Amino acid sequence: MTPELIAASMFAILLIGLFMGHPLAFVLGGAAVAGTLLAGKPMLLGIVVNRIFGDVLDNYTLIAIPLFVLMARFLSDSGVTDRMFETLRLLMSNVRGGLALAVVFISILLAATTGIIGASITVMGVMALRPMLQYGYSARLTTGVIASSGCLGILIPPSIMLILMASYSPLSVGDLFAGAMVPGILLGLLYAGYVAVIARLRPELAPSVEPEEKVGRGELLRLLAIEAAPPLVLILGILGSLLAGIATATEASAIGAALALAIVILRGRFTLATFYGALKETGRTSAMILFIVIGATAFTGVFNITGGLRAVQEIIRGLDMEPWMLIAMMMVIVFLLGAFLDWTGIVLLSFPLFLPIVQEMDVSLLWFVVLMAVVLQTSFLTPPFGYALFYLRAIAPRSVATGDILIGVLPFIALIVMMCLLVALVPSLVTWLPGVLYGNT
């Protein structure tokens, strides 16, 4: 069988397995086994196993993922976010759409301290969803702002997606963290700007809080400073040590987990039950990610050895397109894959295909990877497999229709596309900060 047919068959098996509802990790592994059988070379599985041990289980950088997950769980248990949100809500009570703006700003702060979206969306959903609905906010605006803002954790450092991207590219974690910082914060501000405009044009969709709930501004600023101190210390400990070159990504994640545990203890929230729950949740999440990484490594290993990878790359090179058209096509492919695949699978499947071609162009690899990270924001919001939609549906009351959630995220998907265009047209948004910190792009 020719490499082209093997490649087509493996992707067909992958799609069929996903549409049948099987877990991505096992579909990837099964497609890899099927690829060796179709090629008539089952002995290739031995090479794949060696590659899994060498590229995955011996990858020091990947240790940062469970540590950042553990840090996120500790921070959630500390109760810091609840008090910050309540204080910020009261502080912005005289602003139209103030509650929605509080969700965006708290989500930006959460993104800089967690690195995963499940925790952010669940925390913000539990805290803000019912109050916003009770104050008369539109169900579509409410669900849209919570789902989209909660996804910022996968773009704003420390992001486990950026860590995985660095592990499977020539870039360092520090470069990617610095490169994604400005686009991530700008995307959050873009969300805030949209909410402010909607609240101004359609005040009935995002009303202000009743006057009797307002508290002295000076007291609220004092409370906000007190509640914001622990997350800011955490951000300084993680990103400060990493971007300054004092610690590696793995060491910075350990610092973050230790600081988050200290916050839990100092706030009197530490119990053996919560500690055990944090470890259990960390193990479950980390195992899920690692299984997908192993399955994708097996898939791409067989895909490469059987000649499928080279065949697809030659097809792309043979399109004879301008570099910007090729990159645009790659981003469209990533966007479409986001509707069906987990971000982990997309990164591990697309990087071996795209990165060698991009490196042949006269463009910054850092810019390309961060642009792809921005596009991958949509993968959490696009049906039928948008994880943010599932998280929000699980915690939303029955009065909120699933259709409201789906329609609510559409404007924010459009904002992500606008951010992608901005990053594409102004590459310095990505390359400026790494250039200042490390003198490279």
Side-chain angles (χ1 to χ4, degrees):
M1 185 176 287
T2 64
E4 290 80 2
L5 284 177
I6 294 174
S9 300
M10 289 180 67
F11 276 106
I13 293 170
L14 177 63
L15 291 176
I16 292 171
L18 289 175
F19 280 113
M20 290 178 67
H22 297 299
L24 175 60
F26 301 116
V27 173
L28 287 167
V33 173
T36 61
L37 297 177
L38 290 173
K41 300 176 181 178
M43 72 289 296
L44 292 178
L45 290 175
I47 300 175
V48 171
V49 170
N50 289 334
R51 182 174 176 182
I52 289 171
F53 275 96
D55 294 349
V56 180
L57 302 183
D58 197 32
N59 191 329
Y60 180 71
T61 306
L62 292 180
I63 299 175
I65 292 177
L67 288 172
F68 276 132
V69 173
L70 182 62
M71 180 192 72
R73 180 56 193 265
F74 281 152
L75 192 68
S76 176
D77 291 338
S78 71
V80 170
T81 311
D82 304 39
R83 296 184 185 181
M84 281 188 61
F85 175 75
E86 183 61 21
T87 305
L88 194 58
R89 179 187 71 81
L90 294 174
L91 185 64
M92 303 183 70
S93 59
N94 61 339
V95 179
R96 287 178 182 174
L99 200 52
L101 291 172
V103 168
V104 176
F105 294 138
I106 295 295
S107 294
I108 293 174
L109 192 62
L110 268 178
T113 53
T114 60
I116 56 176
I117 70 157
S120 299
I121 293 177
T122 302
V123 168
M124 294 310 305
V126 170
M127 286 193 306
L129 186 57
R130 291 182 184 276
M132 289 178 73
L133 295 175
Q134 289 171 358
Y135 286 126
Y137 276 71
S138 159
R140 293 178 179 178
L141 178 63
T142 298
T143 54
V145 74
I146 291 175
S148 56
S149 298
C151 294
L152 290 171
I154 213 68
L155 180 61
I156 296 177
S159 159
I160 60 174
M161 182 177 74
L162 296 178
I163 293 171
L164 192 67
M165 285 178 158
S167 298
Y168 289 87
S169 74
L171 302 167
S172 70
V173 175
D175 281 337
L176 274 178
F177 276 12
M181 183 74 74
V182 173
I185 294 175
L186 282 180
L187 182 59
L189 295 178
L190 200 60
Y191 291 163
Y194 170 76
V195 169
V197 170
I198 289 296
R200 181 72 177 176
L201 298 179
R202 301 282 303 277
E204 72 277 6
L205 300 181
S208 59
V209 179
E210 293 299 321
E212 60 267 19
E213 296 191 34
K214 297 178 181 177
V215 184
R217 183 172 296 273
E219 176 66 14
L220 288 174
L221 288 173
R222 186 186 69 82
L223 290 174
L224 185 62
I226 293 173
E227 298 301 334
L232 291 176
V233 169
L234 196 59
I235 294 170
L236 182 63
I238 301 167
L239 297 182
S241 61
L242 180 63
L243 297 180
I246 300 172
T248 64
T250 305
E251 292 163 348
S253 65
I255 292 171
L259 287 174
L261 178 59
I263 292 172
V264 174
I265 295 173
L266 291 174
R267 295 179 72 90
R269 295 292 191 97
F270 180 83
T271 65
L272 289 178
T274 57
F275 185 70
Y276 172 74
L279 294 179
K280 185 178 179 180
E281 183 65 28
T282 299
R284 183 185 295 114
T285 304
S286 302
M288 177 190 70
I289 294 173
L290 188 60
F291 268 119
I292 295 175
V293 171
I294 290 173
T297 301
F299 183 93
T300 55
V302 173
F303 194 62
N304 186 14
I305 296 171
T306 56
L309 181 64
R310 184 168 55 255
V312 174
Q313 288 176 342
E314 289 304 319
I315 291 173
I316 295 175
R317 292 188 180 98
L319 295 176
D320 195 26
M321 291 181 174
E322 292 291 328
W324 70 267
M325 294 181 67
L326 271 179
I327 291 174
M329 183 188 72
M330 292 175 184
M331 293 302 115
V332 171
I333 291 173
V334 170
F335 177 83
L336 295 176
L337 287 175
F340 304 101
L341 289 179
D342 176 80
W343 65 264
T344 316
I346 297 174
V347 169
L348 296 177
L349 292 176
S350 63
F351 267 34
L353 281 173
F354 293 163
L355 294 194
I357 297 174
V358 172
Q359 287 177 298
E360 296 171 3
M361 304 177 187
D362 187 23
V363 297
S364 166
L365 185 63
L366 174 62
W367 166 79
F368 174 83
V369 173
V370 173
L371 177 61
M372 183 172 167
V374 177
V375 174
L376 280 172
Q377 284 279 297
T378 62
S379 69
F380 299 97
L381 301 173
T382 47
F385 297 118
Y387 282 94
L389 307 178
F390 295 140
Y391 287 131
L392 202 55
R393 178 66 276 174
I395 60 177
R398 293 184 178 180
S399 59
V400 177
T402 301
D404 288 332
I405 298 175
L406 296 176
I407 296 174
V409 299
L410 292 179
F412 295 92
I413 293 175
L415 292 175
I416 295 172
V417 174
M418 288 175 57
M419 191 66 221
C420 293
L421 293 174
L422 186 60
V423 170
L425 295 173
V426 189
S428 58
L429 292 175
V430 174
T431 58
W432 170 75
L433 186 56
V436 171
L437 294 174
Y438 309 119
N440 57 44
T441 56

